[in-house]
Amino acid sequence: MDSVTDIGAQTGLLGVIGHPISHSLSPRLHNAAFRSQGLNLVYLAFDVLPKSLSAAIEGLRALRIQGANVTVPHKEAIVSLLDRLDPLAQRIGAVNTIVCEDGWLVGHNTDVEGFRAALHSVLPSGARGRRCLLAGAGGAARAVAAALVEEGAAAVWVYNRTRSRAEALCADAMSWGARTCEPLGAELLAEYGCSADIVINATSIGIDPDIEEMPFSVDILSSHQVVFDLVYGVVPTLLLREAAAKGAATIDGLEMLLMQAASSYRLWTGLNAPLAVMRHASGR
Ligand code: NDP
């Protein structure tokens, strides 16, 4: 399909559901990819409030859309609303991709692969044997923790505003085979944070309205670290600017967004995603 005038009765619908959603780059990435591969598909963004999530899922099912992405804050809440989960999404308890199979909505998680691929683009040896500080315990943090466990991280320390969610994530990560996974209180953050090799922000801090905030004090950052912020935007987040100023290697969320998008695209279309087209559409 070359333009909106080509949308017709045969056009398949995909989209992303989240709140807020106006900042999402996913429609640009996927529509550019569909056009470049001549697919009769269109991808939209849907602003869905938590109280409307169940109705939105019923809508997707009734309309038999081909697939969807799921983003903040719905990745965990959506799990119980789907018909089936693939084993990885089931284990993590978070879904970022839905595939509609013969009217059944099947949940997958491509954030795990997206995070791993983005990390390896800067740190080829990955997280194996590294000590990792992870801020956040929501849907994205669960995918990051799963990737760190699979990679063989020496330790994962989880710091989250709501401590009980960090405790729950750590208990799950231990059941997935983590060597060490512990929730951190604010009192231990400085001590553990300074010794972390990889520092990751998987909270919503850094997106509107918390644009000029960071999840940790700048004091824990140092030049030996890799600092990965899942948040992406037109300018680097405050966390990444401070990390770069300390001489740390930095990774922003765009590379992960591209990699998870490519995996979702493969699930929906059966085709390898045109990564160069997606990257160009992202503005990089
Ligand atoms: P969730 O809503 O599931 O989780 C949000 C997390 O952020 C929770 O840990 C929450 O803590 C924390 N948080 C939110 N607001 C604040 C605040 N003001 N102060 C401290 N902590 C806060 O969202 P997701 O896990 O799905 O997404 C988290 C982030 O990761 C988002 O910014 C999202 O855009 C980004 N992301 C990026 C991806 C990429 O490809 N680059 C992929 C997936 C996510 P609490 O438990 O206390 O509420």
Side-chain angles (χ1 to χ4, degrees):
M1 191 168 45
D2 289 329
S3 74
V4 286
T5 55
D6 296 323
I7 293 175
Q10 302 300 318
T11 304
L13 175 64
L14 299 101
V16 55
I17 59 175
H19 178 78
I21 201 67
S22 58
H23 69 286
S24 176
L25 280 180
S26 295
R28 281 168 60 174
L29 305 187
H30 287 293
N31 286 319
F34 295 150
R35 274 199 300 278
S36 83
Q37 297 197 324
L39 302 179
N40 190 7
L41 298 170
V42 67
Y43 184 111
L44 300 175
F46 301 106
D47 195 340
V48 175
L49 289 168
K51 67 175 187 198
S52 306
L53 183 61
S54 170
I57 294 304
E58 278 312 304
L60 301 186
R61 194 178 276 115
L63 294 173
R64 289 182 167 244
I65 70 145
Q66 289 194 222
N69 283 128
V70 183
T71 188
V72 189
H74 303 312
K75 287 180 180 182
E76 290 173 90
I78 206 156
V79 162
S80 61
L81 302 172
L82 301 174
D83 300 310
R84 280 204 312 272
L85 299 176
D86 92 330
L88 180 62
Q90 173 93 53
R91 181 152 52 94
I92 299 172
V95 163
N96 80 323
T97 304
I98 301 171
V99 180
C100 187
E101 291 178 10
D102 301 323
W104 302 100
L105 299 181
V106 184
H108 297 257
N109 195 304
T110 67
D111 281 338
V112 178
E113 181 49 32
F115 172 80
R116 196 172 19 220
L119 180 66
H120 281 251
S121 71
V122 167
L123 188 64
S125 56
R128 175 153 213 88
R130 313 272 183 170
R131 290 160 301 186
C132 307
L133 172 62
L134 169 61
R142 297 187 78 78
V144 170
L148 295 174
V149 170
E150 273 182 29
E151 294 246 309
V156 181
W157 301 310
V158 181
Y159 173 67
N160 191 51
R161 178 177 61 181
T162 307
R163 190 182 163 102
S164 57
R165 290 184 86 191
E167 288 168 352
L169 174 52
C170 291
D172 286 348
M174 291 306 289
S175 77
W176 304 335
R179 287 159 70 179
T180 305
C181 189
E182 293 169 354
L184 275 194
E187 70 290 353
L188 289 176
L189 189 55
E191 183 188 333
Y192 281 61
C194 288
S195 68
D197 306 304
I198 304 175
V199 174
I200 303 143
N201 176 34
T203 74
S204 307
I205 297 175
I207 62 171
D208 194 30
D210 301 319
I211 278 177
E212 283 303 310
E213 291 179 33
M214 49 190 281
F216 326 97
S217 153
V218 65
D219 299 337
I220 67 158
L221 302 174
S222 64
S223 60
H224 78 275
Q225 293 168 335
V226 173
V227 180
F228 191 147
D229 197 334
L230 268 62
V231 172
Y232 63 88
V234 270
V235 290
T237 58
L238 181 60
L239 173 63
L240 291 192
R241 279 179 275 140
E242 295 287 4
K246 292 268 184 126
T250 61
I251 311 175
D252 83 357
L254 188 60
E255 193 62 21
M256 174 171 168
L257 182 82
L258 285 166
M259 295 302 165
Q260 63 77 31
S263 297
S264 299
Y265 190 93
R266 238 187 337 270
L267 286 170
W268 296 322
T269 65
L271 302 172
N272 284 329
L275 255 179
V277 170
M278 286 179 153
R279 198 179 293 281
H280 183 257
S282 77
R284 284 280 167 91

